Amino acid sequence: MTMFLSNLISGISLGSVYAIIALGYTMVYGIAKMLNFAHGDIIMVGAYICFCCLYSLGFSPFVGILASMAVCTLLGILIERLAYKPLRQATSLSVLITAIGMSYFLQNLAQIIWGANPKSFQTVIPAGNVSLMGGELKISYVSLVTIAASVVVMLALSLFVGRSKMGRAMRCVSEDKGAAQLMGVNVDLTISVTFAIGSALAAIAGVLMCSAYPTLKPTTGAMPGIKAFTAAVFGGIGSIPGAMLGGILLGVIEILGRAYVSSELGDAFVFAVLILVLLVKPTGLLGKKIQEKV
Amino acid sequence: MKKTTVSKYLRRFLPYLIVIAAFIVCQSMIKTGAMPRTTKALLIPVCVYIVMAVSLNLTVGISGELSLGHAGFMSVGAFTGIVIAAYFREAFGAPEAVQLLMAIISGGVLAGIMGVLIGVPVLRLQGDYLAIVTLAFGEIIRNILNCVYISIDGKALRFSFNRPDLPGKLLFRGPSGATGVSRIATFTAGFLLVLFTLFVVLNLIRSRSGRAIMAIRDNKIAAEACGLDVTKYRMMAFVTSAALAGMGGALFGQNYSTLAPSNFSFNASILILVYVVLGGIGNITGSIIAATVLYVLPEELRAFSDYRMLVYAVVLIAVMLLTNNVAIKNFLASLRGKGSEKSERKDGEAV
């Protein structure tokens, strides 16, 4: 029982990281209607920036996180302006290939700057754990902070999108870009802000992920990026609560699958569940069904 | 009249002509010793990637479904081929050509069967959902291969899941993949496989079924209303593409002495997709050229060592931005417009 609970909590913790990444994916998809494959690599850049601040410059973890968020935000805006904005009228496949090119670019740039050898990322969160149930169940601070961070991010994002003026603009643009523009919404600015928020979230996710799984390589972001994309689709792409739900479910399924089915088949298990869900509910758990018209 | 038929046939057989001409040039360079060894080593992978790109183009370009798991079919073909070739060698002492042929056939068949199994659920979905499920299947195949162990014990093949302690000689050992493969792939075999792929794909496109597949791509509901069996035709394209990818994979597997499932990750699928998109979606000749140039380019860029993949990424982004630039598009269209006007006039004169 305690074993199960402990696995469940590490699953939720991993899932929270996926959820934060998936939020970025789903927002960008909702507004720009593109799969931003470079999103996973922004996680990696965020983690590297934090690593540099902590070890080369000797800043405190708090400054490190802020710095990595700032750099990733700028990076996100820059990528959107340089690579994606000229392609707004292009076919979705061209945009996809550009995003893949961006992903290669970031990975290889990181490899040139920081080298291909994995770096050992030491946690920004104090080590230690909370003991529950008479010391049988131990929850590490990293897990607690990760879960708390994702809840805070989720709430803040829901409030922002639901209540603020910019959030309303985002919802308008995601519904109908042309009509939003006619109503006086600054579409370019809105898309830039979306990329900025998504990238800042990716930076947080990168730091949290490397605190829990401390190996940092130029390809660190690739697999979590794909899984977060899966999580976003799982929950219904374009939906913010869906991304959160999908991310956490995915993390729990992965950890429980590794623990109880087969340690090698964890990823296969995740993807198999995804396929089953999509077969039963082709728009994801919380996705809206759009009726196809002739 | 005569001129138009000549140009029509020329256009129709252009992919074959390019491949045959390239083969003759390469063979004569090998015979005269003009080809450096490093370039020679690229010939078989280039053939394989042409097969991969052309077959993926059938799914992405002709059938209009974005598949992100093509490398999964390639890996099924590669490892089936390795096991079958080793089986024919160990159990029957078959000559290399027979081993290679059996490897390619079995790789194609098994990948085709996988194509059917995967196609049934995948083709119920559309757009990005279809893409993510093909991605998921590619990853699942790789994950499962990581747990499979195959050995040959006399004349019997033995399989196990997650247990390396099999009797006999291990042919395939989970995450480390296949080691000590005899490397029987030849450039001629690659050339023939490319021709076979072109023959299958081009004939499929020009057939009644091919037109049905393209009609479904252009408007599924309208095609369905015309009485086309949507699932059947989408399935036909998907499975053909998978089987051809398996054949390419089987040849690929015979070109390296060691091959692990991790060679066929998501990135490998993306690489093939990049060939298809840069070559022009739905354009078979484009796929052939793009696969060749883009496979050779990073290899020849080794002089830049660390920077080569960076350069590759920049080229990729630049090509996408330039080909989608409105000013350049208009300029090209105006050139083409003039060109077609001219050719029309010529046609008129000829008539």
Side-chain angles (χ1 to χ4, degrees):
Chain A
M1 186 62 200
T2 38
M3 194 57 203
F4 175 77
L5 274 181
S6 134
N7 278 326
L8 188 68
I9 288 168
S10 49
I12 294 177
S13 157
L14 177 66
S16 304
V17 174
Y18 288 157
I20 298 178
I21 310 169
L23 283 174
Y25 250 119
T26 220
M27 282 176 65
V28 167
Y29 183 86
I31 287 186
K33 294 281 175 288
M34 66 165 289
L35 299 177
N36 184 11
F37 262 100
H39 197 71
D41 301 291
I42 292 180
I43 303 168
M44 173 272 298
V45 173
Y48 266 115
I49 298 288
C50 188
F51 178 84
C52 279
C53 284
L54 262 62
Y55 296 96
S56 312
L57 305 172
F59 289 143
S60 70
F62 185 67
V63 178
I65 294 176
L66 281 187
S68 73
M69 278 173 75
V71 171
C72 286
T73 306
L74 280 180
L75 188 67
I77 296 176
L78 207 65
I79 290 175
E80 197 271 328
R81 274 290 142 95
L82 292 180
Y84 302 154
K85 196 181 163 200
L87 295 176
R88 269 202 207 140
Q89 310 300 326
T91 56
S92 62
L93 259 179
S94 312
V95 186
L96 185 74
I97 298 291
T98 313
I100 290 164
M102 214 57 203
S103 159
Y104 279 167
F105 180 78
L106 290 178
Q107 278 179 23
N108 288 288
L109 195 65
Q111 189 168 338
I112 289 167
I113 298 175
W114 291 293
N117 292 335
K119 297 221 178 335
S120 150
F121 189 98
Q122 262 167 359
T123 173
V124 293
I125 298 151
N129 44 45
V130 182
S131 292
L132 288 175
M133 295 168 51
E136 272 184 53
L137 179 65
K138 286 195 170 74
I139 309 169
S140 68
Y141 287 143
V142 178
S143 302
L144 285 180
V145 171
T146 309
I147 296 169
S150 74
V151 171
V152 169
V153 163
M154 159 82 185
L155 286 179
L157 206 61
S158 300
L159 280 179
F160 179 76
V161 173
R163 299 286 167 84
S164 74
K165 198 169 175 190
M166 187 39 102
R168 197 181 305 153
M170 281 178 179
R171 280 180 288 144
C172 292
V173 173
S174 78
E175 202 138 292
D176 190 331
K177 221 177 270 171
Q181 195 151 28
L182 288 176
M183 296 301 130
V185 174
N186 186 340
V187 172
D188 284 341
L189 180 72
T190 313
I191 293 180
S192 286
V193 169
T194 311
F195 269 86
I197 293 175
S199 307
L201 292 182
I204 299 176
V207 175
L208 288 174
M209 193 179 71
C210 287
S211 297
Y213 301 89
T215 352
L216 183 53
K217 286 185 295 191
T219 50
T220 294
M223 201 59 201
I226 294 174
K227 289 215 190 112
F229 172 40
T230 311
V233 174
F234 189 28
I237 198 153
S239 146
I240 289 178
M244 198 73 190
L245 182 70
I248 288 179
L249 280 178
L250 209 68
V252 170
I253 292 167
E254 182 178 339
I255 296 283
L256 293 185
R258 269 186 214 287
Y260 297 104
V261 183
S262 155
S263 56
E264 278 88 12
L265 287 178
D267 292 350
F269 208 62
V270 166
F271 290 122
V273 172
L274 168 87
I275 292 166
L276 284 181
V277 168
L278 285 185
L279 286 182
V280 179
K281 209 165 176 315
T283 49
L285 292 175
L286 302 180
K288 273 178 273 177
K289 176 129 181 77
I290 299 162
Q291 196 60 47
E292 201 183 342
K293 286 179 200 145
V294 181
Chain B
M1 194 73 187
K2 214 176 178 184
K3 250 184 197 168
T4 41
T5 38
V6 168
S7 77
K8 201 179 114 194
Y9 277 103
L10 195 68
R11 192 168 299 163
R12 183 162 171 185
F13 293 108
L14 186 64
Y16 298 108
L17 290 177
I18 290 177
V19 171
I20 292 169
F23 177 71
I24 292 169
V25 169
C26 287
Q27 278 297 20
S28 52
M29 277 174 82
I30 293 171
K31 286 275 145 56
T32 55
M35 185 174 278
R37 246 188 61 223
T38 45
T39 316
K40 209 173 145 189
L42 299 180
L43 290 175
I44 297 170
V46 163
C47 289
V48 171
Y49 279 105
I50 291 176
V51 172
M52 297 305 297
V54 170
S55 60
L56 184 63
N57 209 339
L58 182 61
T59 318
V60 176
I62 308 302
S63 182
E65 277 132 15
L66 178 55
S67 164
L68 298 177
H70 212 51
F73 296 123
M74 189 182 179
S75 69
V76 169
F79 295 120
T80 313
I82 287 171
V83 170
I84 294 296
Y87 180 68
F88 272 83
R89 184 177 62 242
E90 302 278 324
F92 303 114
E96 285 189 355
V98 175
Q99 289 174 34
L100 190 59
L101 188 68
M102 293 318 291
I104 291 177
I105 292 175
S106 59
V109 168
L110 205 70
I113 294 173
M114 289 299 288
V116 175
L117 291 180
I118 293 174
V120 170
V122 161
L123 295 178
R124 291 182 52 185
L125 302 165
Q126 293 211 316
D128 297 322
Y129 290 94
L130 191 145
I132 186 83
V133 170
T134 53
L135 187 164
F137 270 116
E139 292 294 305
I140 290 176
I141 290 176
R142 190 165 61 87
N143 259 282
I144 290 176
L145 282 175
N146 269 335
C147 299
V148 172
Y149 293 83
I150 302 171
S151 80
I152 181 162
D153 184 17
K155 280 199 171 188
L157 281 175
R158 291 180 190 276
F159 297 84
S160 81
F161 204 72
N162 254 339
R163 283 183 51 202
D165 51 338
L166 281 172
K169 186 182 162 203
L170 269 178
L171 295 175
F172 183 80
R173 48 191 101 199
S176 10
T179 45
V181 183
S182 53
R183 299 189 61 180
I184 51 176
T186 59
F187 179 42
T188 313
F191 165 69
L192 292 176
L193 188 61
V194 170
L195 281 190
F196 175 74
T197 307
L198 285 177
F199 180 76
V200 171
V201 172
L202 290 176
N203 278 304
L204 177 63
I205 295 173
R206 289 187 191 116
S207 69
R208 187 186 159 89
S209 308
R211 287 191 295 276
I213 292 168
M214 285 186 276
I216 292 166
R217 169 195 68 187
D218 292 337
N219 193 328
K220 188 176 151 235
I221 295 175
E224 211 167 6
C226 292
L228 290 178
D229 185 344
V230 170
T231 315
K232 176 182 144 196
Y233 287 112
R234 285 173 93 194
M235 199 72 181
M236 189 186 281
F238 194 78
V239 173
T240 311
S241 162
L244 289 172
M247 293 175 139
L251 185 72
F252 191 75
Q254 299 300 331
N255 189 40
Y256 298 95
S257 51
T258 46
L259 201 64
S262 58
N263 291 40
F264 301 100
S265 65
F266 169 65
N267 280 333
S269 303
I270 291 295
L271 202 68
I272 306 164
L273 182 66
V274 167
Y275 298 157
V276 172
V277 176
L278 287 191
I281 293 169
N283 186 334
I284 303 295
T285 317
S287 290
I288 298 172
I289 296 170
T292 313
V293 171
L294 289 175
Y295 187 81
V296 173
L297 185 69
E299 301 292 331
E300 298 292 327
L301 280 176
R302 281 200 194 276
F304 294 92
S305 63
D306 289 348
Y307 293 92
R308 70 187 180 109
M309 284 315 284
L310 198 68
V311 174
Y312 182 76
V314 172
V315 168
L316 203 61
I317 298 172
V319 168
M320 279 295 122
L321 290 181
L322 290 178
T323 49
N324 283 293
N325 190 303
V326 178
I328 294 177
K329 248 187 183 169
N330 287 343
F331 177 68
L332 285 180
S334 70
L335 279 186
R336 206 170 293 152
K338 273 179 200 159
S340 63
E341 265 172 39
K342 258 185 205 162
S343 64
E344 265 172 32
R345 214 173 301 144
K346 259 188 192 163
D347 290 351
E349 277 167 14
V351 170

